[in-house]
Amino acid sequence: MPLVLGILLAVTLLLTSLLQMPGGVRRGALRQLQEQQRIYDAESALIANLSGLPADFFERPPWNRAFPKVERGRLGPWAVLSAPMSSANSGSADKRIRVLAGVPCDSACSLLNSYERRREIYEGFRRELIREISMAKPPLALKVKSGNRRFLGRMQPMSLWVQEGDLTLNLDGNTSSGRFRVDGSAEVRGSVNFDTLRVYARGPVTLRGNVRVRWLEAFSEERVEISQGFDFSGVVVARREVLFPNGVRKVRRRYPSFAMSLENAERSEPDSMLIPAFISGQLQPFEWSLK
């Protein structure tokens, strides 16, 4: 709430300054201020929502301010909240301030000591990842192939379900998106940069090599192994275990990154983290954007 009140105070001071400007400058500055005000209102609505305040909190005296309605959805494992920059006289009506968020967890992370909590995350992530892979839109419409599949060198964006076989990706260069569902095992290696990589495997998943992934979602019904040199931000979940054979510090994990196994509560990450929003709890944002 103090942050929201600070935003309101800043806008009041700006309005006071406008009254001292010449007419032409004032009109231009007023348009700019109105646009900034819509951004502030959307941000304030999101901050109030993240703080757990009722939707109509600032509509009451003494503030008497009506903020835009906050909508909540999901982007992969994270919660996404958005608020419109509504305006009757501008093109800002379809612009939205968006924030991605997760549930904070300190180094003790007692939330993950509970098998039921871990199962909520495991099942929620499993369902969401299958949906994300299966519902890929053109040009990433899901293709289904049988038998082992191996891709070398450069790869175009792809969405693939490998039935009754294993998948090996030994790639180089840059790839915007890869989505894979595998009935067997999956291995990702080489020297490649992914913007988005989603891997769901019934067998083991191996992630190694000089691979960088801006947005990773990896799931195994057995285990996931992450080796030295792998660089990612995202979520890794396995039924049995998540292994770091060269040591957890040899893998570069950018914030927010999260790794968990259903059957093992032991934590390999000493630092604070964000938990995917499949369990209840107050949300903490990690990315803001205007779209």
Side-chain angles (χ1 to χ4, degrees):
M1 188 168 66
L3 182 55
V4 177
L5 295 177
I7 291 174
L8 295 177
L9 176 60
V11 173
T12 302
L13 294 174
L14 285 172
L15 284 170
T16 303
S17 300
L18 276 175
L19 297 177
Q20 304 174 15
M21 293 182 178
V25 177
R26 184 186 304 172
R27 286 190 294 273
L30 182 59
R31 286 193 297 270
Q32 195 72 20
L33 178 60
Q34 289 171 340
E35 184 75 5
Q36 195 67 41
Q37 178 65 63
R38 288 189 285 271
I39 295 176
Y40 285 158
D41 286 349
E43 289 177 338
S44 298
L46 289 166
I47 292 169
N49 185 282
L50 288 165
S51 301
L53 298 176
D56 62 347
F57 183 85
F58 286 99
E59 296 180 16
R60 310 168 189 169
W63 299 285
N64 299 316
R65 296 279 302 178
F67 289 144
K69 181 181 178 181
V70 173
E71 295 183 3
R72 178 169 175 172
R74 184 173 298 285
L75 182 60
W78 307 110
V80 55
L81 289 77
S82 66
M85 290 172 52
S86 56
S87 170
N89 301 313
S90 79
S92 298
D94 50 3
K95 289 184 179 180
R96 303 183 73 88
I97 303 292
R98 188 184 73 165
V99 59
L100 298 181
V103 178
C105 187
D106 60 20
S107 57
C109 211
S110 57
L111 283 172
L112 296 181
N113 291 337
S114 165
Y115 177 83
E116 291 305 319
R117 289 285 193 171
R118 296 198 307 277
R119 187 163 192 85
E120 283 184 62
I121 298 170
Y122 179 89
E123 293 294 345
F125 185 50
R126 182 182 67 83
R127 288 192 300 268
E128 187 68 19
L129 186 52
I130 289 176
R131 188 190 70 83
E132 287 285 343
I133 295 172
S134 301
M135 297 182 65
K137 298 178 181 178
L140 288 181
L142 182 66
K143 297 180 180 178
V144 179
K145 302 290 184 180
S146 297
N148 296 337
R149 296 287 153 171
R150 183 182 180 91
F151 296 90
L152 303 175
R154 297 181 181 273
M155 187 187 75
Q156 296 297 317
M158 179 183 299
S159 183
L160 176 66
W161 184 357
V162 178
Q163 296 183 341
E164 300 179 357
D166 303 326
L167 171 70
T168 301
L169 303 178
N170 189 354
L171 307 175
D172 57 55
N174 299 305
T175 298
S176 61
S177 179
R179 305 180 184 212
F180 303 96
R181 181 175 178 180
V182 188
D183 286 355
S185 64
E187 180 179 0
V188 180
R189 54 190 169 95
S191 181
V192 60
N193 294 323
F194 280 96
D195 180 75
T196 302
L197 176 62
R198 293 181 168 97
V199 180
Y200 178 105
R202 299 187 65 184
V205 173
T206 303
L207 307 172
R208 62 189 179 93
N210 184 26
V211 178
R212 188 179 189 275
V213 186
R214 186 192 68 84
W215 183 286
L216 173 68
E217 296 175 28
F219 178 94
S220 170
E221 294 184 18
E222 290 192 13
R223 69 178 187 276
V224 177
E225 181 179 300
I226 310 175
S227 298
Q228 180 177 354
F230 200 85
D231 178 332
F232 76 97
S233 172
V235 177
V236 176
V237 173
R239 175 181 290 276
R240 295 182 180 175
E241 53 190 350
V242 178
L243 301 173
F244 298 89
N246 306 114
V248 68
R249 297 189 182 278
K250 296 294 185 179
V251 175
R252 185 179 178 190
R253 296 168 300 154
R254 286 169 282 108
Y255 186 84
S257 62
F258 174 82
M260 184 207 80
S261 64
L262 172 63
E263 297 178 356
N264 187 355
E266 183 179 348
R267 304 297 305 157
S268 60
E269 302 154 284
D271 302 326
S272 61
M273 68 194 79
L274 284 185
I275 298 177
F278 296 112
I279 60 176
S280 59
Q282 185 170 334
L283 295 175
Q284 177 177 306
F286 65 87
E287 181 179 295
W288 292 74
S289 61
L290 170 60
K291 293 188 176 182

